[in-house]
Amino acid sequence: MTAAAEAPLTPQQIEELKEKAAKADEHWDRMLRATADLENFKKRAARERQEAIKFANASLLEKLIPAMDNFDMALAAANNAESPSLESLKTGIAMIYNQLKAALTESGLEEIDATNQPFDPNVHEAVSHQESAEVPEGHVLQQLRKGYKLRERLVRPASVVVARKPAG
């Protein structure tokens, strides 16, 4: 052992060590609080994310409920009428369809119009081919079922019949 290692600490050195220990304790407390705050933030963010997922469709459903109400009224009117007018029933159904379509469009749903368009496997599903002299080969001859996108993301492809050259 050396003589320097055995020398007693001066009162100034003891005071400096006490100050450093106090600062170390202060930093330790800050670190513990910051860690606790971070954990609380993580828990709150996870809770908010779960809430957002759970109620993500609330806005869409609020737009669809009036259409459901109108369907209920139309069915009640059709069942209670002595002689239901076919024209008034058609008109009522058309109004409900337009209301439902508007609510879905407002929520970001887009119809894919495939008729007479070039066949695109990214948005069309070919269910058959048919010979046609009027429609160019590789174009959609007939749309059997509408396709839909939700803000540029394909929800359902359009089912189509694709034209091909007549054999000859």
Side-chain angles (χ1 to χ4, degrees):
M1 284 206 206
T2 63
E6 294 178 10
L9 296 175
T10 65
Q12 182 182 354
Q13 290 173 325
I14 292 174
E15 198 56 40
E16 285 177 12
L17 287 174
K18 285 181 181 178
E19 287 175 16
K20 287 181 181 180
K23 279 194 176 196
D25 285 345
E26 181 184 330
H27 291 302
W28 178 254
D29 288 344
R30 268 200 216 158
M31 195 250 340
L32 288 177
R33 269 186 297 234
T35 303
D37 287 345
L38 179 61
E39 286 302 313
N40 289 336
F41 173 77
K42 286 180 183 178
K43 288 176 186 174
R44 186 174 62 249
R47 208 171 31 250
E48 288 172 357
R49 189 171 43 252
Q50 289 299 323
E51 286 282 315
I53 290 169
K54 187 175 181 181
F55 297 107
N57 293 329
S59 172
L60 174 61
L61 294 176
E62 287 172 6
K63 294 173 189 170
L64 295 179
I65 288 172
M68 292 296 295
D69 292 340
N70 290 335
F71 267 124
D72 287 338
M73 288 188 287
L75 287 171
N79 288 333
N80 292 337
E82 297 282 324
S83 58
S85 163
L86 186 58
E87 273 311 304
S88 67
L89 191 58
K90 281 183 179 178
T91 303
I93 290 173
M95 290 171 64
I96 295 169
Y97 174 80
N98 289 332
Q99 183 181 22
L100 183 59
K101 188 175 179 179
L104 293 171
T105 300
E106 189 178 312
S107 295
L109 192 70
E110 303 170 43
E111 282 185 15
I112 297 171
D113 182 20
T115 309
N116 294 325
Q117 299 293 318
F119 176 74
D120 180 355
N122 296 314
V123 292
H124 303 144
E125 175 184 31
V127 293
S128 71
H129 286 77
Q130 187 174 332
E131 293 181 354
S132 173
E134 296 85 38
V135 178
E137 183 174 24
H139 280 62
V140 174
L141 179 64
Q142 181 184 6
Q143 178 172 282
L144 302 175
R145 187 181 71 178
K146 291 179 183 177
Y148 295 96
K149 286 182 180 180
L150 178 62
R151 294 184 185 87
E152 302 303 317
R153 178 188 247 174
L154 185 66
V155 175
R156 181 179 82 183
S159 294
V160 298
V161 176
V162 181
R164 70 172 177 228
K165 283 193 267 187

